[in-house]
Amino acid sequence: MADLTDGRGAVKRRIGTRLWLAGGWLTLLLLAAVFAPLVAPQDPLAQDLFLTRLPPFWEKGAEAGYWLGTDSLGRDVLSRVIYGARLALVVALVAGSITCIIGSALGLMAGFLRGWVDLVISRLIDIWMAFPPVLFSILLIAVIGPGLHSIILAIVIIDWTRFARVVRAEAMAQGAMDYVASAQVAGRGRIGTMLREILPNVLPTIVVLLTLEMGIAVIVEAILSFVNLSISTDDPTWGGMIAEGRASVYQAWWVLVFPLITLFLTVLAFSQLGEGLKDRFDPVLR
């Protein structure tokens, strides 16, 4: 019994550590993005051809005030990484939330109402998932034009099926439970049962999916920026910085490495936050 208690305690500590680390990084990134004009050491758009490809502060030839060096146009890498976090987090929060609302609503209706509603939504999901997501997003941006709204719209159009499929399965499982039958016997209508009985029990799964979707949204935005289909090329984006750094990786490796590390840590943080929340909501571990 003591071994079982110790094992549960160790699992809870690992979950707590995972949540703290992921939440800490995302909080730090959010604060840096919100207060970018205050914390960024330089103007991210300012160019100085006399300061091109300066190395980070610990290498020989570094310049004071340019902590992570400069790119081929003399722009400060640290400032551009900080300002790039603004776009990444806006896309993650807005696109993730809209995708969550649309996909969860459709999945909830399909899984609980069943019948023709489930048939129509399920066939729509099957058709939508036949398109390769990355190519589909590039095609959408090419048609509707680059820009923040276009990126968000492309992510929503592509990824709503992820929520719809999972929430549909969860709603079907919850709909077979005795408490749902009891609510209907007590006189509660189908819509009331779906919103007051099914939704609260599916909500933990939706929250986990939302955090994972935010990480996916960050990746999609970086891919579109990498192929120059995001916002204006002058505005700092992590994908754009990676694309620029790839061309000069042997002369100025820091232009590629620092935005790549930031992107990796951000996506990893969203993923670990989702995994930690999934474990925290797990009734067996709880």
Side-chain angles (χ1 to χ4, degrees):
M1 190 68 178
D3 292 340
L4 181 60
T5 303
D6 293 341
R8 287 179 177 175
V11 171
K12 288 182 177 180
R13 284 193 296 271
R14 284 199 299 271
I15 295 173
T17 301
R18 180 186 299 174
L19 289 174
W20 274 107
L21 290 175
W25 170 257
L26 293 175
T27 301
L28 179 64
L29 197 66
L30 179 62
L31 291 175
V34 172
F35 298 105
L38 299 177
V39 299
Q42 308 290 338
D43 182 348
L45 301 180
Q47 302 179 15
D48 190 339
L49 298 181
F50 292 102
L51 299 175
T52 59
R53 294 176 180 171
L54 291 176
F57 69 93
W58 65 83
E59 290 201 355
K60 185 179 179 181
E63 183 80 14
Y66 296 90
W67 298 100
L68 299 183
T70 60
D71 60 14
S72 58
L73 295 176
R75 297 173 297 189
D76 182 49
V77 172
L78 176 58
S79 299
R80 291 179 65 78
V81 168
I82 292 174
Y83 273 85
R86 284 184 156 187
L87 177 65
L89 292 180
V90 166
V91 170
L93 293 172
V94 177
S97 299
I98 297 175
T99 305
C100 173
I101 293 171
I102 295 175
S104 299
L106 292 175
L108 195 62
M109 289 189 295
F112 181 68
L113 298 180
R114 309 294 292 273
W116 67 269
V117 176
D118 182 29
L119 181 63
V120 171
I121 294 176
S122 297
R123 296 294 79 76
L124 187 61
I125 292 173
D126 293 338
I127 294 172
W128 227 256
M129 293 189 67
F131 296 98
V134 175
L135 294 179
F136 193 22
S137 63
I138 293 175
L139 176 62
L140 285 173
I141 297 296
V143 172
I144 62 182
L148 178 60
H149 296 88
S150 301
I151 297 172
I152 293 173
L153 181 62
I155 293 173
V156 172
I157 291 175
I158 292 168
D159 273 355
W160 67 270
T161 56
R162 192 186 315 276
F163 284 87
R165 290 173 62 234
V166 177
V167 173
R168 172 182 175 272
E170 286 289 321
M172 291 178 66
Q174 293 295 327
M177 297 292 183
D178 292 337
Y179 73 87
V180 175
S182 299
Q184 292 177 333
V185 169
R188 182 165 290 172
R190 299 186 73 187
I191 301 299
T193 302
M194 182 176 67
L195 296 178
R196 297 188 179 185
E197 303 293 338
I198 302 293
L199 180 58
N201 288 281
V202 178
L203 197 57
T205 301
I206 295 176
V207 172
V208 172
L209 285 174
L210 176 59
T211 58
L212 297 175
E213 176 60 31
M214 288 180 179
I216 293 171
V218 171
I219 294 177
V220 172
E221 189 282 321
I223 292 173
L224 294 174
S225 299
F226 185 84
V227 296
N228 200 23
L229 287 176
S230 183
I231 59 175
S232 169
T233 54
D234 292 332
D235 295 321
T237 61
W238 293 344
M241 294 180 68
I242 292 170
E244 180 186 352
R246 184 175 64 96
S248 59
V249 64
Y250 296 109
Q251 295 80 25
W253 57 266
W254 50 89
V255 180
L256 169 68
V257 169
F258 291 123
L260 190 61
I261 291 175
T262 308
L263 174 64
F264 171 77
L265 291 177
T266 303
V267 175
L268 180 64
F270 277 121
S271 174
Q272 292 302 303
L273 182 63
E275 290 294 325
L277 290 174
K278 183 184 73 173
D279 292 339
R280 179 63 61 88
F281 290 139
D282 192 325
V284 175
L285 294 177
R286 190 168 56 195

